[in-house]
Amino acid sequence: MESTSQSAIKPKKIKLDFKDSKYATGRRKKSIAKVWVKKGTGNIHVNGIKMNEYFKRPVHQIIVTRPLEISEVAQSYDVKCSVKGGGLSGQAGAIILGISKALIIHDEDLKKNLKKDKLTTRDSRVVERKKYGHRKARRSFQFSKR
């Protein structure tokens, strides 16, 4: 009597061969992505899982493939990412930066289009931390005169 639902099934990790690839690191919020790019058929793997299975939301899938589509090389490069920390949006942003940097290392001519869409600069915004004596980062406790 085994009852397995779709959400309980974990995708199988795939061992990938990425010799002769270019490496770059991307960061966003608390997420760090290590990205390897090589000539191939357009496969994207995140933490050993296909990108479509790792990022369920279509918004994140579009975000991750953006650097490849802008530089018009979506079907000619394979991407392998190892990402940790933060949430899915931060991880997708980190992967974007990593892919962009690795593509520029692979082919310098792609830099012009990627830079024009601001995919080569790190977004340095992070969550502001809570301060002592405050309820949140800036929100104070309610003040009462009496």
Side-chain angles (χ1 to χ4, degrees):
M1 293 240 229
E2 292 180 37
S3 62
T4 58
S5 64
Q6 281 288 51
S7 61
I9 299 172
K10 288 191 176 181
K12 196 169 109 176
K13 284 197 173 186
I14 303 164
K15 185 72 177 161
L16 301 166
D17 178 36
F18 265 75
K19 292 178 178 145
D20 305 324
S21 62
K22 302 298 178 190
Y23 168 80
T25 305
R27 291 184 179 89
R28 172 85 172 94
K29 294 185 180 181
K30 286 283 182 188
S31 302
I32 300 170
K34 300 174 187 176
V35 179
W36 290 267
V37 172
K38 73 169 187 171
K39 290 279 187 186
T41 58
N43 297 324
I44 300 175
H45 289 84
V46 181
N47 292 346
I49 303 168
K50 287 190 175 180
M51 188 251 316
N52 297 339
E53 295 172 12
Y54 189 83
F55 292 113
K56 301 283 190 211
R57 295 181 65 198
V59 174
H60 293 141
Q61 295 172 13
I62 292 167
I63 287 172
V64 169
T65 57
R66 203 163 150 234
L68 297 167
E69 289 170 1
I70 286 171
S71 53
E72 298 170 358
V73 292
Q75 300 303 318
S76 56
Y77 283 101
D78 284 343
V79 178
K80 177 182 122 182
C81 309
S82 171
V83 65
K84 63 179 182 178
L88 290 177
S89 293
Q91 289 182 352
I95 291 171
I96 282 180
L97 184 61
I99 290 174
S100 299
K101 286 170 137 182
L103 283 174
I104 290 170
I105 293 169
H106 219 287
D107 185 6
E108 193 70 32
D109 300 331
L110 302 174
K111 185 172 185 174
K112 183 180 167 191
N113 289 339
L114 292 171
K115 190 166 184 163
K116 187 170 64 177
D117 286 350
K118 298 180 180 148
L119 296 179
T120 57
T121 54
R122 185 197 188 298
D123 190 352
S124 60
R125 295 177 296 170
V126 292
V127 177
E128 189 174 347
R129 295 289 149 222
K130 182 189 175 303
K131 277 75 171 186
Y132 173 77
H134 289 257
R135 217 171 75 185
K136 294 170 74 178
R138 299 195 176 195
R139 173 89 164 96
S140 294
F141 297 110
Q142 186 170 358
F143 175 74
S144 174
K145 198 165 191 177
R146 22 189 108 80

